[in-house]
Amino acid sequence: MSQSKRRFIAGAKCPECSLTDTMVVFIEHNVEKVECVKCGHQMVQPEGSVQGATRQFEQVIGVFTPED
Ligand SMILES: [Zn+2]
């Protein structure tokens, strides 16, 4: 059983080796990370923080919504 699911990011460009379609995203220690399969360059998925902020905002709305 593999430790993490990996999926390629279509059209993503590696900032290190400048190749496209070599970036995979995976979860490590509950953090979404991106790795280039060509050069091994790793970085934290920028969109992950945006999604996290959105999720927090949704939770706040959910708590604030009255049930009656
Ligand atoms: Zn690369």
Side-chain angles (χ1 to χ4, degrees):
M1 186 174 178
S2 62
Q3 286 185 320
S4 57
K5 291 181 180 177
R6 293 182 172 222
R7 67 176 193 273
F8 278 90
I9 308 171
K13 181 180 179 181
C14 176
E16 191 70 19
C17 65
S18 297
L19 292 174
T20 53
D21 297 333
T22 60
M23 307 300 288
V24 294
V25 61
F26 62 100
I27 305 294
E28 185 177 82
H29 304 304
N30 294 320
V31 177
E32 196 167 46
K33 293 186 176 181
V34 180
E35 182 182 38
C36 174
V37 297
K38 280 292 179 184
C39 71
H41 178 71
Q42 277 194 13
M43 59 185 177
V44 175
Q45 168 84 310
E47 286 86 349
S49 56
V50 175
Q51 288 176 353
T54 303
R55 200 168 301 133
Q56 271 190 334
F57 185 60
E58 288 173 350
Q59 284 175 352
V60 170
I61 291 176
V63 172
F64 184 74
T65 304
E67 292 192 8
D68 53 353

